[in-house]
Amino acid sequence: MGEMNLGRLTTTLGGLVFALLGLGCGGPEVGDIVELEVSMAMVGTASAPELVAVGETQGGLGVTRAFLSASAVTLVPCEANVSGLELGARGYDVLQDPPMSERVTTGVVAFCGVRLELDPVTSSAREGIPEGATMYVEAEASDGTAVTLTSEGSSSLLLEAEEGKSFGEQPLLLGIDVSLWLAGLPLPEEMAEMATELFEAQLQGAAAIYVDANGNQALDADEQTAVARATAPR
């Protein structure tokens, strides 16, 4: 099976939302709904490139590679009595161009969240990624110094739409903002433990879902409003 792009969560839920609205206004009956295609992807973004940029440094860090290892990725339906759509272990090169992507089909009408279980997974290993790494970043400082950040810790990310509503227009981008993720990093060598803690903790605030209005798999200037943000899983 192809790999999902955690830089780009392009979820073709426009049809899903349309079907949901149709049920309340003379549309098809529940039994008439057929399987729907969901496409997902992930992209790296930089809200403050002068501090942390994607690619070459612009005065701060320039991130050349960012990797996340997930033991499971689950699309969370809005209906509490409907099981989530779970994908298996995945390794995400967040800055890959074009973004990693995957398509699945489902009969679920609408989704209200995405959950990522971040764990070291041998089957998700990638060339150049340290064995056992859950999160890994390669970057370059403005003075040319090479920077690497690694975590082997396990964690969980849950991205939820506000007020339990389903996602709006599709497709979607799951963006990882490296400017937020790597804010204040790297730290001096003697503060390595604190640096790892920041590296792990700041990912939650860096992840969000956006509408990819023009379907070009990039977060454009008119697509900056997040439709869901990461929260601590309940």
Side-chain angles (χ1 to χ4, degrees):
M1 180 180 290
E3 301 209 348
M4 181 183 81
N5 184 338
L6 216 246
R8 179 189 125 171
L9 188 84
T10 59
T11 313
T12 315
L13 289 178
L16 298 180
V17 176
F18 180 83
L20 178 62
L21 295 174
L23 292 178
C25 55
E29 298 296 327
V30 173
D32 296 331
I33 297 175
V34 297
E35 285 190 330
L36 300 161
E37 184 178 73
V38 178
S39 63
M40 299 181 66
M42 183 184 291
V43 297
T45 68
S47 59
E50 70 279 7
L51 299 178
V52 183
V54 172
E56 296 183 0
T57 175
Q58 297 184 34
L61 282 182
V63 181
T64 55
R65 190 172 192 183
F67 176 82
L68 297 174
S69 174
S71 59
V73 178
T74 304
L75 293 171
V76 182
C78 296
E79 295 293 330
N81 61 344
V82 177
S83 298
L85 178 60
E86 184 171 318
L87 305 177
R90 298 287 188 273
Y92 301 110
D93 265 307
V94 178
L95 305 184
Q96 179 175 308
D97 185 20
M100 298 166 59
S101 61
E102 181 170 11
R103 295 177 184 274
V104 295
T105 55
T106 177
V108 177
V109 172
F111 294 96
C112 284
V114 177
R115 183 189 300 270
L116 295 92
E117 303 296 342
L118 301 177
D119 299 290
V121 180
T122 302
S123 62
S124 299
R126 293 287 185 277
E127 184 177 354
I129 304 298
E131 183 177 357
T134 299
M135 309 176 190
Y136 177 73
V137 163
E138 293 178 359
E140 183 176 301
S142 58
D143 62 0
T145 302
V147 175
T148 59
L149 298 164
T150 307
S151 169
E152 297 181 356
S154 296
S155 59
S156 183
L157 278 180
L158 175 62
L159 295 100
E160 285 187 307
E162 293 185 0
E163 300 177 359
K165 296 180 180 178
S166 61
F167 298 121
E169 299 176 6
Q170 309 307 317
L172 301 177
L173 299 171
L174 196 164
I176 303 297
D177 187 338
V178 297
S179 300
L180 296 177
W181 186 12
L182 306 180
L185 295 171
L187 296 176
E189 187 174 344
E190 62 271 19
M191 302 176 70
E193 184 175 346
M194 180 180 294
T196 299
E197 291 175 355
L198 279 176
F199 184 46
E200 294 171 346
Q202 291 180 167
L203 178 61
Q204 178 175 311
I209 295 176
Y210 305 87
V211 173
D212 185 13
N214 59 9
N216 69 346
Q217 303 180 359
L219 186 61
D220 299 318
D222 59 349
E223 299 171 342
Q224 300 290 322
T225 301
V227 296
R229 293 192 179 278
T231 62
R234 293 190 292 269

